[in-house]
Amino acid sequence: MNVLIVGGGGREHAIAAAVAKSPLCQKLFFAPGNAGTAALGENLPLKATDIDGVAAACREKGVDYVIVAPDDPLVLGMADALEEKGLRVFGPNRKAAMIEGSKVFAKNLMKKYGIPSARYAVFDNCTSAYEYIRTYTKFPAVIKADGLALGKGVVIAQTLGEAQDGLRSIMEDKIFGASGNQVVIEEFLTGPEVSVLCFTDGKTIVPMVSSMDHKRARDGDEGPNTGGMGTLAPNPFYTAEVAQECMRTIFLPTVEAMKEEGRPFKGCLYFGLMLTPDGPKVIEYNCRFGDPETQVVLSLLESDLLEIMSAVTDGRLSQADVRFSGEAAACVVLASGGYPGKYETGKEISGLEGSFEEGVAVYHAGTALREGKTVTSGGRVLGVTARAASLQKAVEKAYAAADKIHFSGKQWRTDIGRRALNALRK
């Protein structure tokens, strides 16, 4: 198959590296891709949300299969549009992608079908939201923009003042645009966080190896939320017993709920979970592979990703071979100085051609090729990923490799995996 991967971040590079290993894959195309994907196939000068442009490129390039990786084209209906043109697609249709496209829809779905999650209230105007938050007695409070916000549309307000500021910025200042027309105000849950990506064809659901994201910008989980500064897999807090409970109370009920609502989900369904004292609860759904969870999860995949994806598309996931290594993986994100705020791009990256230990992969995220040189082009620049027999070794290998790569303003967290390793030592 000629395969086109929509997107241009670290997730897409990781997906491409796995797909490229498949004997089913003949040629790879990317829309738009990055400096890393250029080594695996052909980058096309298209925005990930350019539905007509992607459809035209598929015709021109003889594409047989499209993997739509980011959330925004899925929520816009790219999968529907391409399927209407006779293409085979991995990724949910527009109606199913609403599970990420609207926090209000997702919360109402969980409430209707008894899927455990935080208590919440929904508001579509700032006045009523202000009135509600003034009566709130149990801070912190979690305020979420309804729509897509690049993984940053969440405010964890420690005080009434912070909550009012958060509501003002989302609903009045519109820092996330129309995504802030509605907000969800949730109770704050406590416990270890777990990310579980699952393959599903709308009938069968197969969880991948669990992972742990590190969302805050600075060490010790301090600073603003980011798209993710590092990950590890498997997550030591996600035991076999917890996995069974999640399958019974969350994973299967979600697939059934979406089917019942006339929105059967086919693709990668991401569960952001909190392991609370009252049991596992859903923090969020995503309608696609997480980033940078994909980098560690797919590093441990031992079976053929393109074959699994084809089985999802064809509704035969129950027959697919889905196997993961018993090893561990860690990813350290190297970001531009100032991220997730303002940052400069165009900084030359050195050290990418260095000799890394076996099991190390450097996934490109915000990179571009200019005059034969690789330069920074985004906030999160690289995901330095390593797999090893133990989590401790995987973390050490990832940091050793990350230390060899340089660009002006490089910032990173130095404590990726620390909480998990401390848990394993207990």
Side-chain angles (χ1 to χ4, degrees):
M1 291 187 280
N2 289 337
V3 180
L4 186 148
I5 298 176
V6 177
R11 164 186 50 218
E12 288 76 22
H13 191 191
I15 290 170
V19 167
K21 297 174 187 172
S22 172
L24 298 173
C25 179
Q26 182 170 320
K27 191 170 182 184
L28 274 170
F29 299 93
F30 303 92
N34 56 44
T37 62
L40 296 172
E42 182 181 346
N43 289 345
L44 306 175
L46 294 167
K47 288 185 177 180
T49 51
D50 184 354
I51 295 174
D52 291 339
V54 168
C58 288
R59 276 197 312 273
E60 181 187 334
K61 302 292 184 179
V63 169
D64 306 293
Y65 194 71
V66 184
I67 300 166
V68 186
D71 47 14
D72 36 1
L74 289 168
V75 171
L76 287 170
M78 181 174 281
D80 314 58
L82 297 178
E83 284 172 353
E84 285 170 11
K85 297 184 183 299
L87 285 155
R88 297 174 70 239
V89 180
F90 181 87
N93 64 24
R94 185 174 187 167
K95 286 179 69 177
M98 186 63 72
I99 201 167
E100 180 175 3
S102 169
K103 301 288 191 301
V104 174
F105 169 81
K107 293 296 294 187
N108 290 342
L109 182 86
M110 288 185 272
K111 183 177 181 180
K112 180 176 179 180
Y113 290 93
I115 298 164
S117 184
R119 291 190 297 272
Y120 72 103
V122 175
F123 300 94
D124 58 11
N125 70 81
C126 220
T127 303
S128 57
Y130 278 145
E131 288 173 1
Y132 175 81
I133 205 67
R134 274 197 290 269
T135 68
Y136 208 80
T137 57
K138 198 177 177 184
F139 284 93
V142 181
I143 302 169
K144 296 179 177 179
D146 174 50
L148 301 178
L150 298 173
K152 301 169 193 168
V154 179
V155 173
I156 299 173
Q158 303 292 336
T159 64
L160 174 61
E162 287 184 13
Q164 291 171 327
D165 289 345
L167 288 169
R168 187 179 303 111
S169 63
I170 294 171
M171 301 195 82
E172 293 185 351
D173 300 341
K174 299 289 186 188
I175 60 169
F176 304 118
S179 290
N181 290 347
Q182 286 186 296
V183 296
V184 174
I185 301 179
E186 282 185 348
E187 68 169 327
F188 180 76
L189 299 177
T190 59
E193 286 191 45
V194 181
S195 302
V196 183
L197 287 64
C198 298
F199 295 111
T200 177
D201 61 2
K203 302 170 291 185
T204 301
I205 185 163
V206 179
M208 302 179 220
V209 63
S210 65
S211 57
M212 178 188 287
D213 194 5
H214 297 66
K215 278 284 188 191
R216 297 300 187 103
R218 294 190 284 275
D219 286 4
D221 292 320
E222 298 289 334
N225 262 340
T226 70
M229 293 298 290
T231 40
L232 58 90
N235 189 321
F237 295 100
Y238 191 72
T239 63
E241 293 75 22
V242 172
Q244 286 180 340
E245 185 176 357
C246 289
M247 180 61 82
R248 179 176 57 83
T249 64
I250 295 173
F251 302 161
L252 286 171
T254 299
V255 170
E256 288 301 314
M258 290 295 281
K259 193 170 21 172
E260 191 70 22
E261 292 292 308
R263 302 169 182 265
F265 191 102
K266 295 173 72 171
C268 175
L269 183 53
Y270 168 115
F271 296 84
L273 307 173
M274 184 78 82
L275 306 184
T276 77
D278 300 322
K281 295 187 179 184
V282 179
I283 305 171
E284 65 172 346
Y285 293 115
N286 288 341
C287 65
R288 37 73 193 184
F289 282 91
D291 188 344
E293 291 94 343
T294 304
Q295 288 84 317
V296 288
V297 169
L298 292 187
S299 293
L300 300 174
L301 180 67
E302 292 193 326
S303 38
D304 186 325
L305 178 60
L306 190 51
E307 170 53 37
I308 297 167
M309 289 179 158
S310 295
V312 167
T313 300
D314 299 341
R316 51 180 177 83
L317 179 59
S318 62
Q319 302 161 31
D321 173 26
V322 184
R323 278 177 294 107
F324 288 87
S325 158
E327 293 183 307
C331 172
V332 175
V333 170
L334 305 183
S336 295
Y339 174 80
K342 289 184 178 178
Y343 55 85
E344 295 181 354
T345 59
K347 308 296 184 184
E348 185 178 352
I349 305 169
S350 63
L352 292 172
E353 308 306 320
S355 56
F356 300 116
E357 284 187 74
E358 186 181 349
V360 170
V362 180
Y363 295 119
H364 290 235
T367 67
L369 291 170
R370 289 189 194 153
E371 298 173 359
K373 294 177 180 177
T374 303
V375 300
T376 65
S377 66
R380 291 185 296 171
V381 178
L382 299 165
V384 184
T385 306
R387 60 180 283 176
S390 69
L391 182 58
Q392 176 76 49
K393 183 60 179 171
V395 169
E396 290 171 0
K397 284 171 69 172
Y399 273 110
D403 205 35
K404 296 179 179 180
I405 299 169
H406 304 282
F407 54 89
S408 177
K410 180 180 91 168
Q411 69 171 35
W412 54 351
R413 278 182 58 164
T414 64
D415 65 344
I416 301 301
R418 186 174 297 165
R419 186 179 181 193
L421 289 169
N422 288 339
L424 288 171
R425 292 186 189 109
K426 289 180 181 176

